Amino acid sequence: MSFSAEDWQAIWLTLRLATSATLLLLLAGTPLAWWLARTRSALRGPVAALVALPLVLPPTVLGFYLLLALAPAGPIGELTAALGLGSLAFTFEGLVLGSMLYSLPFVVQPLQNAFHAIGERPLEVAASFGAGPWRRFCSVALPLARPGFVSGSILGFAHTVGEFGVVLMIGGNIPGETRVVSVQIYEQVEALRFSEAHWLAGAMVVFSFLVLLVVYGALGRGAIPGMRFGS
Amino acid sequence: MSQPGGGRFELDIEVAIPPRGITCVSGASGAGKTTLLRCLAGLERPRSARIEVDGAIWHDASRFVPTHRRRIGYVFQDSSLLPHLSARQNLGYGRVPSDAAELAKTVKLLGIEALLEKLPRQLSGGERQRVALARALLGRPRLLLLDEPLSALDIARKHELLRHLRGLPEQLDCPIVHVTHSPEEVARLADHVLVLEQGKCVAQGPVAELAATRRFPVDSAGAEGVVLEATIVGHDRHWRLAEAEYADGRMLIADPGVATGGAVRLRILARDVSLSHSAAAHSSILNRIATTVQRIEELADGAMCVVHLRIGAGTVLLARISRKSAHTLELAPGSRVHAEIKSVAILQ
């Protein structure tokens, strides 16, 4: 036997979730990382700590508060209700939001380190060449931070694929909507269907290993800004 | 302008920089040279300043023109190129109003034809600085700022780039501000000199004037000297000598390969000038000049002094001799004495 239809559904859902969360994180994380890398504001420390919080918090804690926030009476729930979206709890969109928080440091920190590593000089050179702030960012900062974008995307994607606790708290276990690979495995193990669990579990090991192989190997030895956490 | 500088000093400077030619900003490390340049470029924003360039106000109480709108050329000490772009892409980046002919001309002028497709990291330090200089020229700047562009180069590259820098005023009708801590570069390049100390401008003026009054720093004892602007008026092909005419006379120098009528800048170090009362010519000295003692400056070590001499109407010469010699020769302001010049450096 191999993957069941349910397995494939879980895999497809997981890939959709990881892709959406990673793309949205790159959009939201880039300005945040840029600000963190360059600001001299006193808020930098507290904001950096908040961004790193998902690294150390148990996913259940994150999931618990998210669940409260997403509930119809919670702050995000009220907002989404006002927008006519209803509550995001136990929905795919809710999972995307949760994944973005959960994987935030895995995208922001590589970007922040990459922006920081550029230094002031190339941006000053571009300014002396007549480039305004927006042009400097697009034509100098973005291309020079490319390794950070590559490792941030890979790490963010892989970390979202491996998510379990947050999903269980805010997504539950709805096939096709919130039942991702990790939840599917949990489900199979609970039901003592070990041989089925082997397939998905083994696939996760291979996938994770390949991702890390790319990050550590193909992208150059020790040159991955994302692998130095903290700044 | 005034700008707090890392708590150590304030930059407190009021100067007018000549609209053409090279102005060298000289001074020890930490004197505020680079800070001054960065303020001119808009890379630092001084607390209060008034910067006016060619009639346009770049900075005053109500205005601050950001760097990218200032139309400057800036050559930094190390990397003045965008590292991810080839030399050619660097030359074409940003506001470059030049046409193909101008590009070709500038590329040829700086000898970088073969480097255009390379990335900055594939270029040597000297090559990078030449490309950077070409980029600065192509931007047709209203102000060219050079922050110790020679400091990271070896001697051979340094001399090559010096030659290019010296030729800049012919290419560029704008002020060129060159920051350096090297008296050698000041002597070779400067038309005008600003001397900074602790964030203040302690002396400024044409290079010959400052050198003669010993108001610009020297790198070692005995390296004080004068700078003379001269014109080649004749050649002695047999002995490979040339005759150079300065404001108040002529002297023989090693033939610099400059045609008659060409300009040369001469530097005569005080330690290469000795004094004598006899006009007798039985020695190896080629240039023996009648001078009048202006004043005698005793040096801190107590053994040596610098004698300020005048040739003719106004040319100044410095001689570094022992106090004992000055006493033996009975030198005093107004004494007539012969200066024997052992060597003349030809700077351009």
Side-chain angles (χ1 to χ4, degrees):
Chain A
M1 72 172 280
S2 71
F3 294 133
S4 66
E6 280 190 346
D7 287 349
W8 281 115
Q9 195 179 38
I11 291 172
W12 173 236
L13 181 70
T14 305
L15 293 180
R16 258 174 61 212
L17 174 65
T19 307
S20 316
T22 306
L23 289 178
L24 288 171
L25 263 181
L26 285 175
L27 277 181
T30 300
L32 178 60
W34 179 251
W35 182 81
L36 280 171
R38 301 185 56 84
T39 185
R40 289 177 199 157
S41 155
L43 284 175
R44 203 197 81 98
V47 172
L50 273 176
V51 168
L53 213 49
L55 286 175
V56 294
L57 272 185
T60 43
V61 171
L62 198 59
F64 172 59
Y65 284 118
L66 260 173
L67 188 63
L68 294 183
L70 293 178
I76 301 178
E78 282 183 352
L79 180 73
T80 51
L83 293 171
L85 297 171
S87 169
L88 293 185
F90 306 107
T91 64
F92 178 74
E93 289 73 26
L95 275 198
V96 172
L97 187 65
S99 303
M100 284 176 67
L101 287 176
Y102 175 65
S103 297
L104 185 68
F106 289 80
V107 174
V108 169
Q109 292 194 352
L111 289 181
Q112 181 188 340
N113 290 331
F115 285 140
H116 187 76
I118 293 173
E120 287 292 326
R121 185 50 50 81
L123 299 165
E124 291 181 350
V125 168
S128 80
F129 285 3
W134 182 244
R135 174 135 201 232
R136 291 202 289 275
F137 179 75
C138 293
S139 68
V140 178
L142 289 185
L144 286 176
R146 200 177 58 187
F149 279 93
V150 173
S151 56
S153 312
I154 293 176
L155 290 170
F157 186 90
H159 191 242
T160 307
V161 166
E163 174 180 354
F164 175 69
V166 176
V167 179
L168 211 59
M169 296 294 280
I170 66 170
N173 185 5
I174 307 166
E177 180 74 21
T178 61
R179 188 190 284 173
V180 295
V181 170
S182 56
V183 176
Q184 171 79 348
I185 296 172
Y186 178 72
E187 184 78 6
Q188 290 164 342
V189 173
E190 282 279 273
L192 299 177
R193 302 200 307 258
F194 281 16
S195 59
E196 290 169 36
H198 265 307
W199 279 97
L200 277 181
M204 288 292 279
V205 170
V206 171
F207 168 78
S208 305
F209 177 77
L210 287 178
V211 165
L212 293 179
L213 191 65
V214 169
V215 171
Y216 282 110
L219 293 178
R221 283 145 254 115
I224 305 303
M227 301 316 284
R228 294 190 313 262
F229 281 103
S231 55
Chain B
M1 63 175 72
S2 98
Q3 152 87 349
R8 284 174 47 229
F9 61 84
E10 286 216 346
L11 198 56
D12 182 3
I13 287 174
E14 192 173 342
V15 291
I17 291 168
R20 288 214 56 174
I22 299 179
T23 297
C24 279
V25 180
S26 153
S29 313
K33 307 187 295 290
T34 297
T35 307
L36 171 66
L37 219 54
R38 292 178 62 83
C39 290
L40 290 175
L43 295 172
E44 305 280 342
R45 189 172 185 161
R47 209 174 38 205
S48 69
R50 189 187 151 78
I51 298 172
E52 187 181 329
V53 176
D54 195 17
I57 301 213
W58 283 1
H59 194 175
D60 65 9
S62 61
R63 244 168 307 189
F64 178 77
V65 178
T67 304
H68 62 279
R69 298 226 176 85
R70 289 195 179 191
R71 226 170 101 192
I72 50 161
Y74 201 126
V75 178
F76 295 87
Q77 213 174 94
D78 38 24
S79 51
S80 318
L81 298 172
L82 296 172
H84 58 302
L85 300 181
S86 71
R88 184 190 295 282
Q89 288 169 322
N90 266 284
L91 294 183
Y93 182 97
R95 190 184 36 222
V96 183
S98 57
D99 51 46
E102 189 177 351
L103 177 73
K105 183 181 142 234
T106 309
V107 163
K108 188 159 181 288
L109 179 76
L110 287 154
I112 54 173
E113 297 96 327
L115 313 175
L116 290 178
E117 306 314 324
K118 294 189 176 178
L119 286 172
R121 66 166 176 273
Q122 296 167 317
L123 303 175
S124 72
E127 291 170 340
R128 272 200 292 273
Q129 294 301 56
R130 276 186 287 149
V131 176
L133 208 50
R135 174 59 185 76
L137 290 180
L138 285 173
R140 291 193 201 148
R142 281 149 76 183
L143 177 63
L144 178 60
L145 304 167
L146 308 168
D147 189 4
E148 307 208 25
L150 303 170
S151 64
L153 306 183
D154 59 51
I155 300 232
R157 298 286 150 259
K158 199 172 276 191
H159 280 101
E160 187 189 306
L161 199 63
L162 265 170
R163 191 168 54 78
H164 288 301
L165 293 178
R166 191 51 240 170
L168 280 180
E170 288 153 37
Q171 311 297 325
L172 215 52
D173 188 19
C174 79
I176 300 166
V177 184
H178 177 258
V179 156
T180 178
H181 62 267
S182 152
E184 156 96 11
E185 286 175 28
V186 176
R188 281 179 183 273
L189 288 176
D191 297 306
H192 196 84
V193 185
L194 301 182
V195 184
L196 298 195
E197 230 169 68
Q198 304 275 314
K200 294 203 163 41
C201 179
V202 292
Q204 63 166 315
V207 62
E209 196 179 290
L210 281 200
T213 51
R214 295 200 56 216
R215 281 190 301 167
F216 76 72
V218 293
D219 42 9
S220 63
E224 61 274 339
V226 294
V227 172
L228 302 180
E229 305 289 357
T231 311
I232 300 294
V233 291
H235 293 83
D236 180 339
R237 302 284 176 205
H238 184 66
W239 299 112
R240 302 274 167 90
L241 295 174
E243 197 174 10
E245 185 174 68
Y246 54 96
D248 293 284
R250 292 179 174 191
M251 62 178 71
L252 285 172
I253 59 175
D255 189 345
V258 173
T260 301
V264 286
R265 176 177 281 188
L266 308 176
R267 187 177 194 203
I268 302 167
L269 297 183
R271 63 170 178 237
D272 291 331
V273 176
S274 52
L275 303 178
S276 133
H277 276 308
S278 96
H282 298 294
S283 83
S284 61
I285 300 287
L286 276 180
N287 293 301
R288 175 177 275 105
I289 299 169
T291 65
T292 309
V293 174
Q294 298 280 91
R295 67 189 180 95
I296 300 167
E297 176 191 358
E298 299 202 350
L299 297 180
D301 66 1
M304 305 299 289
C305 58
V306 171
V307 184
H308 295 240
L309 306 153
R310 205 188 66 224
I311 310 169
T315 304
V316 170
L317 202 58
L318 300 176
R320 182 188 173 89
I321 62 173
S322 66
R323 266 179 64 224
K324 177 176 159 65
S325 309
H327 177 77
T328 312
L329 289 170
E330 296 175 336
L331 296 184
S335 319
R336 313 276 300 166
V337 67
H338 285 89
E340 299 177 335
I341 299 169
K342 276 177 279 189
S343 97
V344 178
I346 299 151
L347 300 183
Q348 48 183 272

